[in-house]
């Protein structure tokens, strides 16, 4: 018999990302008093016009001291890390440029989502295809996967789980099918994306790579992973419809407010067309004009303004509602932006990310590179991927993890003789797919909650699929190394 617990007994929960980040910085600050700083010799490559490390040139600095608890007059101390991290860099990259990019883009998408055009478009598609079961699941899966790939769709899947669950049950499916075609699809798109502004774009910016570079390889990767997800989902959906007893889900009452309505009209069509044209403009700007973080942030802001204007003229939203939607969208991504800035503080605490300046980070990279350097290049790249997968358990934010790990992984790739593009690939695959199973993902727990699927039931069901995704990820990383993906 289980002991009775009082109602006010606190439940255990994972520490907030900011708490984890604080202790990571504390550990880094302490490490500066025990790990000597070092630096590399660098030379300018005339072909790329970029600095490159000279192999075997690492040496220790003779006059480096660990960081103090608090520093004055603009110097770096442990308690200065938050401010110093947030004001570091320039508009061209980490941290201040990336932070403002996240906030402005979040505000723009807040306006777009406020118009409900994307919601209405998806609902209209569901209504039209629900009677064609062979097309229903593939179309939904592709749609949600594209949402994850293009604008980092994730938490929005919770609302669609509420809407879709009654329909899925009426067709003969269960809550797991609902989660697969919504949340899992978004995370497959998120992980294999060629342009996600909140993960791939930020990681490439930190790694000093052209935005959307390598999109052809990633486009093929997205198609493969999405196809695998569709086959897996349809196979399970077919089995559970033939024999509902195999479903591990409890039937339970349907969630409230589940009336299925679709009100797609010409205004939604105009807004969605504007949205698609805006994405085309973004892609064109990056490819044809070399746009970077300042231009991309302005493009997304412009897209949000145009969509807001259409919504106002069409009386879809009032002026103040558009303004509030922008503020709400920016507010929701403010924690992610702050994590980016504070994570940059770790790099500053460790002495900075300049290879030719004394830094504890350089020492860590040197010895990590020596350890991984003894491995074949493919195995070293796979180890980077596995590290990102494990790290995502603690920092489930894509932009936050990019800010925390890419300053280490990008130069580590240089030391290992791997293109930085492979470091970004290892990050996005490791970050994205583990969101499908980790209990620290708020979006996953939300989807499981509204569909009445216990996390342990979900983990028991999905682990084989996770192994398949892991094997495919390793395969793509091996292929990237073989073709020198850059």
């Amino acid at each position: 018999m289980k002991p009775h617990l009082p109602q006010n007994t606190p439940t255990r929960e994972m520490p907030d990302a900011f708490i984890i980040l604080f202790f990571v910085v504390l550990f880094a600050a302490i490490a500066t008093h025990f790990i000597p700083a070092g630096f590399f010799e660098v030379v300018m490559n005339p072909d790329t016009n970029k600095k490159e490390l000279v192999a075997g040139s690492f040496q220790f600095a003779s006059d480096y001291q660990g960081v103090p608890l608090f520093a004055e007059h603009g110097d770096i101390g442990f308690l200065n890390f938050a401010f110093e991290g947030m004001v570091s860099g320039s508009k061209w990259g980490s941290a201040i440029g990336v932070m403002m990019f996240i906030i402005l883009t979040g505000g723009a998408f807040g306006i777009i989502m406020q118009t409900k055009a994307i919601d209405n478009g998806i609902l209209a598609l569901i209504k039209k295809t629900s009677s064609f079961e062979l097309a229903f699941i593939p179309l939904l899966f592709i749609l949600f996967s594209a949402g994850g790939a293009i604008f980092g769709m994730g938490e929005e899947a919770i609302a669609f789980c509420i809407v879709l669950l009654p329909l899925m049950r009426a067709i003969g499916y269960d809550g797991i099918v609902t989660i697969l075609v919504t949340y899992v699809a978004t995370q497959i798109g998120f992980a294999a994306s060629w342009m996600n502004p909140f993960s791939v774009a930020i990681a490439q910016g930190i790694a000093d790579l052209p935005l959307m570079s390598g999109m052809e390889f990633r486009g093929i990767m997205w198609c493969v992973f999405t196809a695998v997800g569709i086959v897996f989902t349809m196979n399970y959906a077919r089995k559970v419809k033939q024999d509902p007893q195999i479903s591990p889900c409890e039937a339970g009452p349907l969630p409230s407010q589940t009336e299925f309505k679709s009100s797609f009209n010409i205004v939604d069509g105009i807004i969605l067309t504007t949205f698609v044209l805006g994405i085309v403009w973004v892609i064109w700007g990056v490819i044809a004009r070399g746009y970077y973080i300042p231009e991309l942030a302005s493009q997304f802001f412009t897209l949000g303004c145009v969509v807001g204007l259409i919504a106002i003229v069409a009386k879809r939203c009032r002026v103040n509602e558009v303004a509030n939607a922008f503020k709400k969208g920016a507010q929701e991504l403010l924690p992610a932006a702050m994590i980016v800035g504070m994570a940059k503080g770790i790099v500053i605490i460790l002495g900075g990310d300049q290879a030719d300046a004394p830094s504890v980070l350089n020492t860590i990279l040197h010895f990590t590179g020596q350890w991984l350097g003894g491995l074949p290049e493919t195995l070293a790249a796979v180890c980077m991927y596995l590290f990102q997968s494990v790290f995502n358990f603690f920092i489930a934010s894509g932009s936050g993890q990019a800010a925390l790990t890419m300053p280490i992984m990008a130069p580590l790739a240089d030391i290992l003789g791997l293109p930085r593009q492979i470091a970004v690939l290892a990050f996005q695959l490791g970050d994205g797919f583990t969101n499908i199973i980790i209990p620290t993902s708020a979006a996953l727990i939300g989807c499981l909650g509204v569909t009445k699927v216990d996390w342990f039931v979900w983990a028991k069901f999905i682990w084989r699929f996770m192994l398949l995704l892991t094997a495919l990820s390793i395969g793509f990383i091996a292929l990237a190394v073989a073709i020198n993906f850059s």
Side-chain angles (χ1 to χ4, degrees), residues 150-313:
I150 294 171
F151 61 94
M153 191 177 189
E155 287 79 2
E156 296 84 355
I158 298 174
F160 285 105
C161 281
I162 297 175
V163 171
L164 274 174
L165 183 60
L167 178 62
M168 288 294 186
R169 288 186 180 172
I171 295 174
Y173 303 141
D174 64 357
I176 285 180
V177 176
T178 307
I179 298 171
L180 287 172
V181 299
T182 53
Y183 180 72
V184 171
T186 65
Q187 296 314 293
I188 285 178
F190 189 95
S193 173
W194 63 92
M195 65 164 293
N196 185 342
F198 304 115
S199 64
V200 176
I202 290 176
Q204 288 183 326
I206 295 173
D208 197 24
L209 292 171
L211 299 186
M212 295 189 200
S213 55
M215 64 183 303
E216 297 84 359
F217 182 90
R218 289 185 172 87
I220 294 172
M221 188 171 68
W222 177 79
C223 292
V224 171
F225 277 111
T226 301
V228 168
I230 290 171
V231 171
F232 177 82
T233 302
M234 292 188 71
N235 184 53
Y236 173 74
R238 176 182 55 80
K239 290 179 179 178
V240 81
K241 186 171 184 178
Q242 291 176 350
D243 183 9
Q245 297 300 318
I246 71 170
S247 172
C249 302
E250 58 178 89
L254 294 176
S256 59
Q257 298 178 344
T258 55
E259 185 178 355
F260 182 77
K261 292 182 179 180
S262 173
S263 56
F264 189 84
N265 56 34
I266 189 171
V267 176
D268 296 307
I270 294 173
I271 291 175
L272 287 179
T273 300
T274 302
F275 175 74
V276 171
L277 291 176
I279 296 300
V280 172
W281 179 40
V282 168
I283 295 174
W284 171 83
V286 170
I287 295 175
R289 304 291 297 173
Y291 286 175
Y292 203 54
I293 287 175
E295 293 88 357
L296 259 69
S298 300
Q299 283 180 304
F300 282 119
F301 177 73
T302 303
L303 178 58
C305 290
V306 173
V307 168
L309 181 61
I310 294 171
I312 293 170
V313 171

Side-chain angles (χ1 to χ4, degrees), residues 114 312 317-327:
Q114 176 68 26
I312 293 170
C317 299
R318 296 192 299 272
V319 174
N320 282 351
E321 288 178 334
V322 171
N324 289 333
F326 179 84
K327 290 185 288 186

Side-chain angles (χ1 to χ4, degrees), residues 183 187-188 190-193 199-200 203 218 221 225 381-399 401-402 405-406 409 421-438 440-441 466 469-474 476-477:
Y183 180 72
Q187 296 314 293
I188 285 178
F190 189 95
S193 173
S199 64
V200 176
R218 289 185 172 87
M221 188 171 68
F225 277 111
V382 170
C383 286
M384 295 171 72
Y385 157 71
L386 294 176
F387 167 78
Q388 296 284 9
S389 298
V390 173
F391 195 84
N392 194 47
F393 181 87
F394 302 100
I395 304 292
S397 164
S399 52
Q401 186 179 160
T405 62
M406 287 311 299
M409 289 299 167
Q421 201 71 256
I422 291 178
V424 174
L425 186 67
F427 151 73
Q428 69 177 108
L429 293 175
D431 166 53
F433 289 132
T434 44
N435 289 329
I436 295 174
I437 195 171
I438 57 172
T440 50
S441 169
M466 289 299 302
L469 293 178
T470 301
L472 281 173
S473 298
I474 292 173
F476 272 105
I477 289 173

Side-chain angles (χ1 to χ4, degrees), residues 474-485:
I474 292 173
F476 272 105
I477 289 173
L479 176 61
V481 174
I483 65 174
N484 197 35
F485 178 46

